[in-house]
């Protein structure tokens, strides 16, 4: 039997030698197998190896293509893009936000207050920080108890602590089939296998959760019920109730990521309201306030707080005292509410630009969200479109960045709308629309 890696080497050599060009479609696997005199299963391993090496990309229902751009060495959406216009990173900042925040911090710079803020603090934070976090996260249908809250340095660190607590290395975490890329990175570093859970227009399918649980080794599930990234779906109350009943019956814990939830305030009660003993609710200040001085919060069942606290401490994921004291002031004097309200209006205004500039295209978005999901028109593929946008100084995220299963990404891109000024965003959307109306060869990425 011929080694599939040697056949992959031959394809790689054809790419390097220019015999296969970016955007070329590889033959269906059965035809490839016949051409090379190998089994269909070997051909599948060859294609998987090419995708693993970053030489090819698979698209659901369309086939496997030679990449138009080299793969990223770091996970997307974790650091600012180097492109002139960043539609990858999604951290909203209002123009006058520094002035608003500075007013609240003036008292913190007094010698006595600063001295206290520079002292170390544990995973529980401070009593004042837990009280403030409970107030920040409270909705008309849910009010977390301050005693159930733990504090992390960021939302990402909170997610890492939750996954490390619930899913030992070698076990499995169920996630939506398109998920937050940083969770993919966290799972990889912790030795956790991700199990893709299919979704519909209401979010993750309960039947998929039941099936994954029955197959064994499922330590927890990670979900984004509100303004899902990247699809923008907000799970309706009926689906949340069904999932809440399911995780309790299966004795399964859900990690509920609410980082975008503030944009849809009071839309639907969180899973944590219906299944508090089987949900770890995670939120942060990165989008609510600012990415440069942020905090993560975990609202957890009492039976898990000790383990979560241990994970936060061992991972060096605990919050800093200065950030906690700053947040207490921002929340207590109403600055956080002011910024959140204005960001809700800002997100709607940016979605209005999308509706105007990308009219006629297959764009999926929630008007309250800071991102949208664009299913690209033929003959464009996500990989070539990203390359074409980059040539115009615009960074966008391909669907492959969110796909849990390599080679199973839809032909779509996600646009993050929060970072550029309005006029720059409008111009970028116009440019992207112009690219999409043309052909790949028009911009030299055929």
């Amino acid at each position: 039997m011929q080694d599939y890696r040697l056949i992959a080497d031959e394809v790689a050599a054809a790419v390097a030698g220019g015999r296969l060009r970016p955007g070329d479609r590889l033959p269906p696997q059965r035809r490839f197998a016949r051409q090379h005199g190998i089994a269909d299963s070997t051909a599948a391993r060859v294609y998987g190896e090419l995708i693993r090496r970053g030489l090819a990309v698979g698209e659901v229902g369309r086939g496997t293509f030679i990449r138009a751009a080299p793969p990223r060495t770091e996970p997307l959406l974790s650091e600012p893009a180097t492109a002139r216009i960043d539609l990858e990173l999604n951290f909203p900042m209002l123009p006058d936000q520094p002035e608003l925040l500075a007013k609240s911090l003036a008292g913190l710079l007094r010698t006595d207050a600063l001295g206290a803020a520079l002292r170390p603090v544990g995973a529980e934070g401070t009593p004042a920080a837990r009280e403030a976090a409970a107030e920040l996260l409270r909705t008309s249908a849910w009010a977390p108890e301050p005693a159930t809250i733990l504090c992390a340095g960021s939302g990402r660190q909170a997610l890492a602590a939750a996954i490390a607590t619930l899913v030992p290395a070698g076990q499995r975490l169920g996630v939506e089939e398109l998920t937050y890329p940083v969770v993919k990175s966290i799972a990889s570093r912790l030795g956790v296998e991700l199990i893709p859970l299919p979704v519909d227009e209401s979010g993750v399918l309960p039947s998929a959760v039941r099936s994954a649980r029955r197959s064994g080794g499922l330590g927890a599930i990670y979900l984004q019920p509100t303004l899902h990234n990247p699809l923008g779906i907000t799970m309706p109350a009926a689906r949340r109730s069904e999932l809440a009943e399911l995780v309790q019956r299966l004795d399964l814990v859900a990690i509920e990521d609410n980082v975008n939830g503030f944009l849809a305030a009071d839309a639907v009660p969180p899973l944590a309201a219906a299944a508090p003993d089987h949900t770890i609710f995670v939120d942060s200040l990165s989008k609510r306030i600012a990415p440069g001085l942020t905090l993560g919060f975990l609202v957890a069942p009492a039976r898990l707080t000790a383990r979560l606290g241990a994970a936060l401490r061992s991972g060096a994921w605990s919050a800093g005292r200065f950030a906690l004291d700053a947040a207490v002031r921002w929340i207590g004097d109403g600055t956080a509410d002011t910024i959140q309200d204005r960001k809700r209006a800002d997100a709607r205004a940016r979605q209005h630009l999308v509706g105007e500039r990308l009219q006629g295209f297959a764009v999926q978005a929630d008007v309250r969200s800071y991102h949208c999901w664009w299913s690209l028109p033929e003959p464009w593929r996500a990989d070539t479109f990203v390359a074409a946008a980059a040539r115009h100084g615009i960074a966008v995220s391909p669907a492959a960045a969110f796909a849990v299963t390599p080679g199973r990404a839809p032909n779509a891109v996600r646009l993050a709308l929060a970072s550029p000024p309005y006029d720059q965003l409008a111009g970028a959307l116009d440019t992207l629309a112009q690219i999409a109306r043309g052909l790949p060869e028009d911009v030299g990425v055929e």
Side-chain angles (χ1 to χ4, degrees):
M1 179 184 296
Q2 193 168 3
D3 190 333
Y4 72 94
R5 288 166 294 195
L6 296 178
I7 302 174
D9 289 342
E10 294 175 5
V11 178
V15 174
R19 297 186 299 279
L20 283 174
R21 302 177 62 195
D24 283 352
R25 180 176 179 175
L26 295 175
Q29 290 180 16
R30 288 186 178 180
R31 188 191 308 165
F32 185 91
R34 291 196 299 271
Q35 291 172 351
H36 290 78
I38 57 178
D40 290 352
S41 60
T42 304
R45 297 183 75 181
V46 171
Y47 279 36
E49 177 67 10
L50 293 171
I51 291 171
R52 187 191 69 79
R53 295 185 190 183
L55 294 173
V57 60
E59 295 175 4
V60 177
R62 304 187 75 224
T64 305
F65 298 82
I66 301 301
R67 290 188 66 103
R72 297 282 290 266
T73 57
E74 293 294 330
L76 292 167
L77 317 182
S78 61
E79 294 180 354
T82 56
R84 179 171 52 88
I85 302 175
D86 183 3
L87 301 187
E88 279 187 351
L89 194 67
N90 219 4
F91 286 111
M93 283 283 289
L94 302 170
D96 61 343
Q97 193 169 313
E99 290 81 3
L100 289 172
L101 296 174
K103 292 178 182 178
S104 297
L105 295 185
L108 188 56
L109 299 182
R110 295 196 322 266
T111 303
D112 57 337
L114 185 59
L118 296 179
R119 293 172 183 167
V121 68
E124 296 79 11
T126 64
R130 292 197 299 274
E131 291 281 353
E135 177 62 25
L136 183 75
L137 302 178
R138 181 177 58 84
T139 70
S140 60
W142 180 62
E145 291 292 332
T148 66
I149 295 175
L150 297 173
C151 301
S154 69
R156 295 172 187 166
Q157 292 175 346
L159 291 174
I163 294 171
T165 297
L166 297 174
V167 192
Q171 291 197 19
R172 309 189 306 164
L173 173 69
V175 300
E176 291 121 334
E177 57 190 347
L178 295 170
T179 194
Y180 178 34
V182 171
V183 166
K184 295 166 59 178
S185 178
I186 291 171
S188 176
R189 293 187 180 276
L190 293 176
V192 170
E193 180 186 0
L194 295 183
I195 302 302
L197 303 174
V199 302
D200 62 11
E201 66 279 0
S202 296
V204 71
L205 296 170
S207 59
V209 177
R210 282 193 295 269
S211 177
R213 183 65 161 176
R214 282 198 300 267
S215 64
L218 192 66
I221 56 175
Y222 163 79
L223 304 174
Q224 303 171 80
T226 303
L227 298 180
H228 176 274
N229 177 22
L231 298 177
I233 294 170
T234 291
M235 189 181 292
R239 177 65 57 84
R240 295 188 194 218
S241 296
E242 187 176 359
L243 281 171
E245 188 277 330
L246 181 63
V247 295
Q248 292 175 96
R249 178 156 45 86
L250 298 178
D251 194 22
L252 188 64
V253 177
I255 302 170
E256 180 176 10
D257 187 344
N258 191 61
V259 69
N260 291 309
F262 77 98
L263 293 169
D266 283 354
V268 189
L271 284 174
D277 292 332
H278 289 80
T279 306
I280 296 177
F281 181 92
V282 175
D283 209 327
S284 81
L285 298 187
S286 59
K287 291 181 173 57
R288 289 175 181 263
I289 305 296
L293 183 60
T294 187
L295 289 170
F297 302 113
L298 303 100
V299 183
R303 62 191 174 94
L304 294 176
T305 54
R307 291 170 56 195
L308 281 167
L312 288 166
R313 286 185 285 272
S314 64
W317 295 323
S318 297
R321 176 68 180 265
F322 185 89
L324 288 170
D325 286 359
V328 168
R329 291 172 179 270
W330 291 331
I331 296 168
D333 68 6
T335 299
D337 284 340
T338 297
I339 291 174
Q340 288 179 154
D341 287 344
R342 290 179 55 186
K343 284 184 176 179
R344 292 177 188 126
D346 181 57
R348 288 178 177 271
R350 290 170 185 269
Q351 288 289 355
H352 182 71
L353 284 179
V354 172
E356 287 183 336
R357 265 45 185 201
L358 299 185
Q359 186 174 11
F361 291 106
V363 176
Q364 176 180 326
D366 188 303
V367 295
R368 300 167 295 184
S369 175
Y370 268 120
H371 62 268
C372 65
W373 184 248
W374 186 359
S375 296
L376 296 170
E378 294 289 350
W380 284 100
R381 298 183 300 103
D383 197 45
T384 51
F385 189 82
V386 169
R391 293 191 178 197
H392 288 77
I394 304 170
V396 301
S397 302
F402 305 90
V404 175
T405 305
R408 295 293 296 171
N411 187 40
V413 295
R414 193 209 71 167
L415 306 183
L417 310 175
S419 298
Y422 283 112
D423 57 346
Q424 193 177 71
L425 175 61
L429 294 172
D430 287 340
T431 298
L432 295 177
Q434 183 178 3
I435 293 172
R437 293 188 181 102
L439 299 173
E441 53 265 33
D442 294 338
V443 287
V445 292
E446 71 276 13

